[in-house]
Amino acid sequence: MHRPTIPNGTRCLLSRRPISPNSWTLLRQLHKNASKHPRNAAPASTALSFPEPRHIIPAFPPSSCRREAHTIDSPSSAAAIEPYSPPTSGILSRLPKSWVPYGELIRIDKPTGTYYLFFPCLFSTLMAAPLAVPAASPLSVIGTTALFFAGALIMRGAGCSINDLWDRNLDPHVTRTRHRPLARGAITPFKALTYTGVQLLAGLGILLQFPTSCLFYGIPSLLFVASYPLAKRVTYYPQFVLGLTFSWGAIMGFPALGVDLLSNSSALSAAALLYASNVSWTVLYDMIYAHMDIKDDAKAGIKSIALKHDADTKKILTALAAVQIGLLGAAGMAAGAGPAFFVGSCGGAALTLGWMIKRVNLKSVKDCWWWFVNGCWITGGVISLGLGADYLVRYAQDETETKEV
């Protein structure tokens, strides 16, 4: 049989490297053995003889097939990692290209965290307003609320920056966080640290707009802001530390409106109970949030309450909701709240939290995210409406009594 002459330098289609003389010797032997079988026969396959193929199998399968072979068990595989794509919509897409990583660092495109930080400030402002002497006017309440929102926006961004600085070596191993600016190297740790310092100075500027006593109440919260990322490394309950941090605004509304917590025992009790209620709420919603990363957290060694109590999550969520509503009601009693608060805030919170706990699918990342985002407005909204209605009723009563005197 004629043997074709193979010129030097010919490359193998599979290996794409020049074929050595030894390799050609092996190929000739394979061809010789295969030619001994009739074309229509179906000899058994051995190490040196192969049946004639009926169809061509591509040596390099499509990228979609290769991607299916990689799972979360191999997060470092290049085929499993989607490349970073610059934002094409929303507020980030409108920023100059060099500003985008800084916008991503403070999560400016994901404002839900800002709302969760703001709501406790709003709760305490509305609860403290009737306790001020004289009662705080609606304009004063609105102005204080606006300052608190600006502070929440700035300090939430600073908190995200601090968190990402601590987690810059962990985030690349978690699907949801691997494209954060520090994790992907878009900005250096030094630049992120400098940017965080600027944010903290801006937050101090907001704090200075309140009465001086607010400084003594506000600055200690920075200890919790800095310690939360560390808690994820040493305890399964970092959500509790996050609760201590995010709920600090439940205290701040009282001194912001001139209510002295040290001399007013009723106000002090109301502030403490409201703070504890918000800690429970924070643990509740962040437990749902933690279920989005539960698999990656286990592989990266990150601890969370969702990992510790995965099988009993809904029971724990129910218990947290009961504690939150009970403490909220106790805070209202200490503050002398009326029926509008107990029906609107406590009753509304019971209904919305019960609905959320029943409906949320903890095995679905999309569903957990939906309830995390919308539960903020649903539950936070009804509590605020109840507090707001109670404040307006009591303010109107005070105005009527003042006119009569």
Side-chain angles (χ1 to χ4, degrees):
M1 185 180 68
H2 174 70
R3 295 178 180 174
T5 301
I6 307 297
N8 292 333
T10 301
R11 297 178 180 269
C12 175
L13 292 177
L14 294 178
S15 68
R16 299 183 181 180
R17 294 194 301 265
I19 303 177
S20 65
N22 291 336
S23 299
W24 280 120
T25 302
L26 177 61
L27 289 174
R28 291 190 187 100
Q29 184 63 34
L30 290 172
H31 183 77
K32 179 179 179 181
N33 291 338
S35 64
K36 295 179 180 179
H37 298 283
R39 179 168 297 273
N40 296 328
S45 298
T46 66
L48 295 178
S49 63
F50 304 92
E52 182 179 359
R54 297 293 185 235
H55 64 280
I56 297 175
I57 302 175
F60 298 94
S63 58
S64 59
C65 298
R66 294 200 304 272
R67 184 166 302 178
E68 292 174 356
H70 298 279
T71 65
I72 199 170
D73 294 327
S74 56
S76 61
S77 171
I81 301 175
E82 294 292 339
Y84 169 77
S85 299
T88 56
S89 61
I91 188 171
L92 287 175
S93 65
R94 297 181 177 90
L95 296 177
K97 186 177 180 180
S98 60
W99 293 14
V100 170
Y102 296 95
E104 293 173 327
L105 186 65
I106 63 173
R107 320 281 200 274
I108 196 172
D109 58 324
K110 298 179 177 68
T112 303
T114 298
Y115 305 147
Y116 274 119
L117 189 60
F118 166 70
F119 270 119
C121 302
L122 178 60
F123 298 163
S124 63
T125 301
L126 293 173
M127 184 170 283
L131 300 180
V133 181
S137 67
L139 284 178
S140 177
V141 170
I142 292 172
T144 301
T145 299
L147 280 175
F148 273 132
F149 183 80
L153 178 64
I154 293 170
M155 291 308 298
R156 188 264 181 152
C160 290
S161 302
I162 293 172
N163 179 81
D164 286 9
L165 280 165
W166 280 112
D167 289 351
R168 64 185 183 276
N169 295 323
L170 291 176
D171 284 344
H173 302 287
V174 179
T175 302
R176 186 178 55 83
T177 61
R178 61 167 49 110
H179 290 317
R180 285 178 176 174
L182 276 167
R184 71 175 192 269
I187 55 177
T188 64
F190 178 77
K191 289 182 178 179
L193 186 61
T194 303
Y195 185 46
T196 302
V198 172
Q199 294 175 79
L200 292 176
L201 287 175
L204 178 60
I206 295 292
L207 189 58
L208 291 174
Q209 306 307 308
F210 293 104
T212 306
S213 60
C214 287
L215 279 172
F216 302 103
Y217 290 101
I219 291 178
S221 66
L222 294 177
L223 296 174
F224 294 122
V225 174
S227 62
Y228 167 66
L230 294 176
K232 293 185 289 185
R233 293 159 169 79
V234 298
T235 177
Y236 280 101
Y237 303 99
Q239 283 73 25
F240 179 72
V241 180
L242 183 69
L244 296 175
T245 307
F246 266 56
S247 302
W248 201 260
I251 298 173
M252 296 298 295
F254 293 85
L257 290 177
V259 179
D260 187 356
L261 294 177
L262 299 181
S263 63
N264 189 330
S265 59
S266 296
L268 179 61
S269 298
L273 290 165
L274 183 63
Y275 177 66
S277 174
N278 276 272
V279 171
S280 183
W281 187 36
T282 304
V283 176
L284 188 157
Y285 68 68
D286 203 56
M287 190 174 186
I288 294 175
Y289 183 84
H291 269 271
M292 295 193 296
D293 299 329
I294 193 167
K295 293 181 180 179
D296 287 349
D297 283 352
K299 296 179 185 301
I302 301 173
K303 301 182 188 304
S304 74
I305 191 174
L307 274 174
K308 185 68 173 178
H309 302 285
D310 184 18
D312 301 312
T313 294
K314 292 218 171 182
K315 294 178 182 177
I316 294 175
L317 292 176
T318 302
L320 288 169
V323 170
Q324 177 194 348
I325 296 165
L327 290 169
L328 180 64
M333 292 179 65
F341 166 78
F342 291 103
V343 174
S345 297
C346 297
L351 290 175
T352 57
L353 290 173
W355 178 43
M356 178 178 69
I357 293 170
K358 181 177 177 61
R359 295 294 301 273
V360 63
N361 178 7
L362 297 170
K363 302 301 180 184
S364 168
V365 172
K366 181 183 292 187
D367 204 49
C368 287
W369 175 251
W370 192 93
W371 282 105
F372 173 76
V373 171
N374 294 282
C376 170
W377 286 104
I378 295 171
T379 302
V382 296
I383 294 175
S384 300
L385 287 174
L387 281 164
D390 180 70
Y391 158 67
L392 291 175
V393 169
R394 295 168 70 182
Y395 180 77
Q397 290 174 347
D398 288 346
E399 286 289 297
T400 301
E401 293 174 359
T402 302
K403 290 179 180 179
E404 291 177 354
V405 172

